[in-house]
mmCIF file of all heavy atoms in Angstrom:
data_model
loop_
_atom_site.group_PDB
_atom_site.id
_atom_site.type_symbol
_atom_site.label_atom_id
_atom_site.label_comp_id
_atom_site.label_asym_id
_atom_site.label_seq_id
_atom_site.Cartn_x
_atom_site.Cartn_y
_atom_site.Cartn_z
ATOM 1 N N PHE A 189 -75.757 97.296 61.199
ATOM 2 C CA PHE A 189 -76.621 97.228 62.385
ATOM 3 C C PHE A 189 -77.271 95.859 62.504
ATOM 4 O O PHE A 189 -77.314 95.280 63.579
ATOM 5 C CB PHE A 189 -77.689 98.323 62.336
ATOM 6 C CG PHE A 189 -77.159 99.649 62.796
ATOM 7 C CD1 PHE A 189 -77.064 100.725 61.926
ATOM 8 C CD2 PHE A 189 -76.724 99.803 64.110
ATOM 9 C CE1 PHE A 189 -76.555 101.930 62.345
ATOM 10 C CE2 PHE A 189 -76.216 101.018 64.525
ATOM 11 C CZ PHE A 189 -76.130 102.084 63.649
ATOM 12 N N ALA A 190 -77.729 95.387 61.362
ATOM 13 C CA ALA A 190 -78.378 94.070 61.388
ATOM 14 C C ALA A 190 -77.411 93.032 61.933
ATOM 15 O O ALA A 190 -77.761 92.205 62.772
ATOM 16 C CB ALA A 190 -78.836 93.689 59.986
ATOM 17 N N TYR A 191 -76.155 93.140 61.458
ATOM 18 C CA TYR A 191 -75.180 92.154 61.899
ATOM 19 C C TYR A 191 -74.901 92.292 63.399
ATOM 20 O O TYR A 191 -74.866 91.306 64.129
ATOM 21 C CB TYR A 191 -73.878 92.286 61.109
ATOM 22 C CG TYR A 191 -72.840 91.318 61.620
ATOM 23 C CD1 TYR A 191 -72.939 89.966 61.307
ATOM 24 C CD2 TYR A 191 -71.830 91.743 62.471
ATOM 25 C CE1 TYR A 191 -72.037 89.065 61.815
ATOM 26 C CE2 TYR A 191 -70.923 90.845 62.988
ATOM 27 C CZ TYR A 191 -71.026 89.506 62.654
ATOM 28 O OH TYR A 191 -70.141 88.614 63.169
ATOM 29 N N THR A 192 -74.728 93.562 63.853
ATOM 30 C CA THR A 192 -74.446 93.762 65.275
ATOM 31 C C THR A 192 -75.572 93.212 66.141
ATOM 32 O O THR A 192 -75.336 92.560 67.152
ATOM 33 C CB THR A 192 -74.286 95.265 65.600
ATOM 34 O OG1 THR A 192 -74.019 95.957 64.414
ATOM 35 C CG2 THR A 192 -73.227 95.527 66.623
ATOM 36 N N PHE A 193 -76.801 93.502 65.702
ATOM 37 C CA PHE A 193 -77.930 93.001 66.496
ATOM 38 C C PHE A 193 -77.953 91.490 66.501
ATOM 39 O O PHE A 193 -78.158 90.844 67.525
ATOM 40 C CB PHE A 193 -79.262 93.535 65.943
ATOM 41 C CG PHE A 193 -79.543 94.940 66.384
ATOM 42 C CD1 PHE A 193 -79.832 95.932 65.466
ATOM 43 C CD2 PHE A 193 -79.509 95.279 67.741
ATOM 44 C CE1 PHE A 193 -80.067 97.223 65.872
ATOM 45 C CE2 PHE A 193 -79.743 96.571 68.149
ATOM 46 C CZ PHE A 193 -80.028 97.552 67.212
ATOM 47 N N TYR A 194 -77.698 90.934 65.324
ATOM 48 C CA TYR A 194 -77.710 89.482 65.203
ATOM 49 C C TYR A 194 -76.655 88.878 66.132
ATOM 50 O O TYR A 194 -76.911 87.930 66.877
ATOM 51 C CB TYR A 194 -77.425 89.118 63.744
ATOM 52 C CG TYR A 194 -77.127 87.658 63.528
ATOM 53 C CD1 TYR A 194 -78.145 86.711 63.545
ATOM 54 C CD2 TYR A 194 -75.815 87.227 63.309
ATOM 55 C CE1 TYR A 194 -77.867 85.382 63.352
ATOM 56 C CE2 TYR A 194 -75.543 85.895 63.113
ATOM 57 C CZ TYR A 194 -76.579 84.976 63.135
ATOM 58 O OH TYR A 194 -76.291 83.663 62.940
ATOM 59 N N ASP A 195 -75.485 89.497 66.093
ATOM 60 C CA ASP A 195 -74.365 89.016 66.894
ATOM 61 C C ASP A 195 -74.677 89.102 68.388
ATOM 62 O O ASP A 195 -74.483 88.152 69.142
ATOM 63 C CB ASP A 195 -73.139 89.871 66.560
ATOM 64 C CG ASP A 195 -71.868 89.158 66.945
ATOM 65 O OD1 ASP A 195 -71.785 87.948 66.682
ATOM 66 O OD2 ASP A 195 -70.983 89.807 67.537
ATOM 67 N N LYS A 196 -75.219 90.280 68.785
ATOM 68 C CA LYS A 196 -75.577 90.487 70.197
ATOM 69 C C LYS A 196 -76.598 89.462 70.633
ATOM 70 O O LYS A 196 -76.506 88.870 71.690
ATOM 71 C CB LYS A 196 -76.169 91.888 70.375
ATOM 72 C CG LYS A 196 -75.149 92.893 70.864
ATOM 73 C CD LYS A 196 -75.845 94.163 71.274
ATOM 74 C CE LYS A 196 -74.822 95.260 71.460
ATOM 75 N NZ LYS A 196 -75.419 96.592 71.342
ATOM 76 N N ASN A 197 -77.578 89.300 69.765
ATOM 77 C CA ASN A 197 -78.656 88.371 70.064
ATOM 78 C C ASN A 197 -78.106 86.960 70.264
ATOM 79 O O ASN A 197 -78.487 86.246 71.184
ATOM 80 C CB ASN A 197 -79.638 88.401 68.887
ATOM 81 C CG ASN A 197 -80.932 87.717 69.229
ATOM 82 O OD1 ASN A 197 -81.246 87.554 70.404
ATOM 83 N ND2 ASN A 197 -81.666 87.307 68.221
ATOM 84 N N LYS A 198 -77.160 86.612 69.396
ATOM 85 C CA LYS A 198 -76.576 85.278 69.478
ATOM 86 C C LYS A 198 -75.846 85.097 70.812
ATOM 87 O O LYS A 198 -75.972 84.073 71.471
ATOM 88 C CB LYS A 198 -75.591 85.081 68.312
ATOM 89 C CG LYS A 198 -75.722 83.709 67.685
ATOM 90 C CD LYS A 198 -75.022 83.615 66.353
ATOM 91 C CE LYS A 198 -73.533 83.605 66.483
ATOM 92 N NZ LYS A 198 -72.856 83.475 65.177
ATOM 93 N N LYS A 199 -75.079 86.159 71.177
ATOM 94 C CA LYS A 199 -74.328 86.093 72.425
ATOM 95 C C LYS A 199 -75.268 85.971 73.613
ATOM 96 O O LYS A 199 -75.044 85.191 74.530
ATOM 97 C CB LYS A 199 -73.454 87.338 72.576
ATOM 98 C CG LYS A 199 -72.157 87.217 71.789
ATOM 99 C CD LYS A 199 -71.308 88.453 71.946
ATOM 100 C CE LYS A 199 -70.148 88.436 70.978
ATOM 101 N NZ LYS A 199 -69.727 89.789 70.601
ATOM 102 N N LEU A 200 -76.349 86.788 73.549
ATOM 103 C CA LEU A 200 -77.329 86.741 74.638
ATOM 104 C C LEU A 200 -77.933 85.353 74.758
ATOM 105 O O LEU A 200 -78.066 84.805 75.849
ATOM 106 C CB LEU A 200 -78.438 87.755 74.388
ATOM 107 C CG LEU A 200 -78.151 89.171 74.863
ATOM 108 C CD1 LEU A 200 -79.264 90.099 74.419
ATOM 109 C CD2 LEU A 200 -78.021 89.212 76.384
ATOM 110 N N ASN A 201 -78.280 84.806 73.612
ATOM 111 C CA ASN A 201 -78.871 83.472 73.626
ATOM 112 C C ASN A 201 -77.930 82.469 74.262
ATOM 113 O O ASN A 201 -78.342 81.607 75.031
ATOM 114 C CB ASN A 201 -79.170 83.018 72.194
ATOM 115 C CG ASN A 201 -80.519 83.509 71.747
ATOM 116 O OD1 ASN A 201 -81.347 83.886 72.576
ATOM 117 N ND2 ASN A 201 -80.744 83.532 70.446
ATOM 118 N N LYS A 202 -76.649 82.611 73.903
ATOM 119 C CA LYS A 202 -75.663 81.684 74.418
ATOM 120 C C LYS A 202 -75.549 81.794 75.923
ATOM 121 O O LYS A 202 -75.547 80.799 76.641
ATOM 122 C CB LYS A 202 -74.299 81.974 73.774
ATOM 123 C CG LYS A 202 -73.820 80.818 72.929
ATOM 124 C CD LYS A 202 -72.374 81.018 72.561
ATOM 125 C CE LYS A 202 -71.981 80.016 71.485
ATOM 126 N NZ LYS A 202 -70.837 80.473 70.732
ATOM 127 N N SER A 203 -75.451 83.035 76.396
ATOM 128 C CA SER A 203 -75.261 83.199 77.834
ATOM 129 C C SER A 203 -76.515 82.755 78.581
ATOM 130 O O SER A 203 -76.445 82.251 79.692
ATOM 131 C CB SER A 203 -74.864 84.640 78.179
ATOM 132 O OG SER A 203 -75.959 85.486 78.036
ATOM 133 N N MET A 204 -77.674 82.949 77.931
ATOM 134 C CA MET A 204 -78.898 82.498 78.577
ATOM 135 C C MET A 204 -78.887 80.978 78.691
ATOM 136 O O MET A 204 -79.278 80.421 79.709
ATOM 137 C CB MET A 204 -80.105 82.926 77.762
ATOM 138 C CG MET A 204 -81.279 83.237 78.614
ATOM 139 S SD MET A 204 -82.247 84.488 77.846
ATOM 140 C CE MET A 204 -83.314 83.495 76.855
ATOM 141 N N GLU A 205 -78.438 80.349 77.639
ATOM 142 C CA GLU A 205 -78.380 78.901 77.621
ATOM 143 C C GLU A 205 -77.502 78.384 78.765
ATOM 144 O O GLU A 205 -77.894 77.493 79.501
ATOM 145 C CB GLU A 205 -77.776 78.461 76.295
ATOM 146 C CG GLU A 205 -78.379 77.216 75.712
ATOM 147 C CD GLU A 205 -77.866 77.026 74.288
ATOM 148 O OE1 GLU A 205 -76.814 76.412 74.138
ATOM 149 O OE2 GLU A 205 -78.516 77.532 73.345
ATOM 150 N N SER A 206 -76.312 78.993 78.890
ATOM 151 C CA SER A 206 -75.408 78.487 79.917
ATOM 152 C C SER A 206 -75.955 78.806 81.309
ATOM 153 O O SER A 206 -75.755 78.059 82.257
ATOM 154 C CB SER A 206 -74.001 79.053 79.734
ATOM 155 O OG SER A 206 -73.966 80.391 80.127
ATOM 156 N N MET A 207 -76.684 79.940 81.399
ATOM 157 C CA MET A 207 -77.274 80.277 82.682
ATOM 158 C C MET A 207 -78.338 79.258 83.050
ATOM 159 O O MET A 207 -78.393 78.790 84.180
ATOM 160 C CB MET A 207 -77.910 81.657 82.604
ATOM 161 C CG MET A 207 -77.670 82.461 83.835
ATOM 162 S SD MET A 207 -77.225 84.112 83.340
ATOM 163 C CE MET A 207 -78.806 84.891 83.421
ATOM 164 N N SER A 208 -79.172 78.915 82.078
ATOM 165 C CA SER A 208 -80.246 77.983 82.409
ATOM 166 C C SER A 208 -79.668 76.617 82.740
ATOM 167 O O SER A 208 -80.225 75.872 83.539
ATOM 168 C CB SER A 208 -81.272 77.910 81.282
ATOM 169 O OG SER A 208 -80.794 77.129 80.238
ATOM 170 N N GLN A 209 -78.512 76.318 82.140
ATOM 171 C CA GLN A 209 -77.870 75.054 82.478
ATOM 172 C C GLN A 209 -77.386 75.061 83.924
ATOM 173 O O GLN A 209 -77.565 74.088 84.654
ATOM 174 C CB GLN A 209 -76.679 74.800 81.552
ATOM 175 C CG GLN A 209 -77.071 74.006 80.326
ATOM 176 C CD GLN A 209 -75.967 73.991 79.293
ATOM 177 O OE1 GLN A 209 -74.845 74.426 79.575
ATOM 178 N NE2 GLN A 209 -76.271 73.514 78.117
ATOM 179 N N SER A 210 -76.782 76.195 84.323
ATOM 180 C CA SER A 210 -76.258 76.215 85.686
ATOM 181 C C SER A 210 -77.405 76.261 86.697
ATOM 182 O O SER A 210 -77.315 75.694 87.773
ATOM 183 C CB SER A 210 -75.269 77.367 85.883
ATOM 184 O OG SER A 210 -75.929 78.587 85.802
ATOM 185 N N VAL A 211 -78.513 76.932 86.318
ATOM 186 C CA VAL A 211 -79.677 76.912 87.206
ATOM 187 C C VAL A 211 -80.166 75.488 87.370
ATOM 188 O O VAL A 211 -80.479 75.041 88.474
ATOM 189 C CB VAL A 211 -80.811 77.813 86.647
ATOM 190 C CG1 VAL A 211 -82.118 77.526 87.360
ATOM 191 C CG2 VAL A 211 -80.450 79.272 86.779
#
Side-chain angles (χ1 to χ4, degrees):
Chain A
F189 279 115
Y191 177 75
T192 341
F193 280 127
Y194 168 76
D195 200 43
K196 263 191 193 158
N197 193 20
K198 222 166 72 178
K199 278 180 190 151
L200 275 174
N201 274 342
K202 244 192 192 157
S203 73
M204 213 149 89
E205 217 170 88
S206 74
M207 220 136 95
S208 77
Q209 268 169 10
S210 67
V211 166

